[in-house]
Amino acid sequence: MLQCTDSSHWGPSLDAAVDAVNRGAVIVLPTDTVYGVGADAFQAKAVAAVLAAKGRGRQMPPPVLIPQLRTVDGLGMDIPGTARALMEKFWPGALTVIVHSQPSLAWDLGETHGTVALRMPDHPAALALLNRTGPLAVTSANLTGQPAATSASAAEEQLGASVAVYLDGGESPGGTASTIVDATHPDGLRVVREGGVSVAELVDTVGAEAFVELPGETIG
């Protein structure tokens, strides 16, 4: 368990996490929502190890955390203006956006059907790590079907030795998973899951007309 609560002292902890990622190992890291378990998005065996640690199959591919907004265009394509507006408003933050992935990318996240779920977390340690590692395939740090971990110790209780490095950033400030918006539908956005960003906030940003369907109602 490596501490990363204080930026003036977290250098050795991040060094260990970067080394683990580079060698294809699995790590646990704090984010602004819940703790995440992840690995290098471009190492297929490492991504498979993340899914195995959770007890999850390829049919549920992990999202990808990125360090900066401009990283989006290297990973995604055909991104609608409404989705970009949501990214600009809520990133870094508790919003995940599903977009079409660049077909040239040499990665294997699972059965993505040509899409990728992207998020920029609002957590200083996570961003510091991502700026050194590049995109990480990260999903909530828990066994499938169990509550998402909001502390490093809770993650360790569930995932144990399947994780090489645990970064302890204290209790998760959000404690709620991110909101997921699907931006791959040609007719508009879809809210897949409401989480840290409310549907009302999404609508306030891009308007109800930007959505094909909102929870509880049909648009158009």
Side-chain angles (χ1 to χ4, degrees):
M1 191 76 65
L2 303 177
Q3 299 299 315
C4 63
T5 54
D6 183 349
S7 61
S8 63
H9 296 96
W10 69 27
S13 297
L14 293 190
D15 288 345
V18 171
D19 178 68
V21 168
N22 288 342
R23 68 174 189 267
V26 176
I27 67 168
V28 158
L29 67 154
T31 79
D32 51 325
T33 54
V34 295
Y35 270 73
V37 57
D40 185 348
F42 293 96
Q43 294 192 46
K45 288 184 178 179
V47 175
V50 170
L51 295 176
K54 279 184 66 79
R56 174 177 288 184
R58 287 174 51 82
Q59 72 279 5
M60 297 182 70
V64 173
L65 296 188
I66 59 176
Q68 301 176 50
L69 181 59
R70 67 169 180 259
T71 309
V72 168
D73 289 313
L75 304 179
M77 60 181 292
D78 299 331
I79 301 169
T82 50
R84 289 188 185 276
L86 292 178
M87 294 172 183
E88 291 169 0
K89 172 71 173 178
F90 297 108
W91 281 4
L95 175 70
T96 299
V97 182
I98 302 171
V99 300
H100 294 288
S101 61
Q102 289 283 357
S104 60
L105 289 174
W107 63 8
D108 181 6
L109 299 173
E111 303 303 327
T112 65
H113 305 288
T115 68
V116 60
L118 300 175
R119 187 167 91 85
M120 180 182 173
D122 189 12
H123 192 286
L127 290 174
L129 177 65
L130 289 162
N131 272 301
R132 293 181 59 183
T133 62
L136 294 178
V138 177
T139 184
S140 59
N142 58 280
L143 295 173
T144 297
Q146 298 299 310
T150 57
S151 68
S153 58
E156 187 175 30
E157 286 177 9
Q158 295 192 54
L159 302 176
S162 62
V163 172
V165 171
Y166 286 87
L167 292 178
D168 186 356
E171 196 75 14
S172 295
T176 303
S178 66
T179 294
I180 301 176
V181 172
D182 185 349
T184 65
H185 196 284
D187 295 330
L189 307 175
R190 291 182 184 273
V191 179
V192 177
R193 178 181 73 193
E194 185 172 10
V197 176
S198 70
V199 170
E201 290 175 294
L202 300 176
V203 171
D204 284 346
T205 303
V206 294
E209 65 277 3
F211 295 86
V212 176
E213 186 175 330
L214 287 168
E217 62 177 300
T218 302
I219 306 300

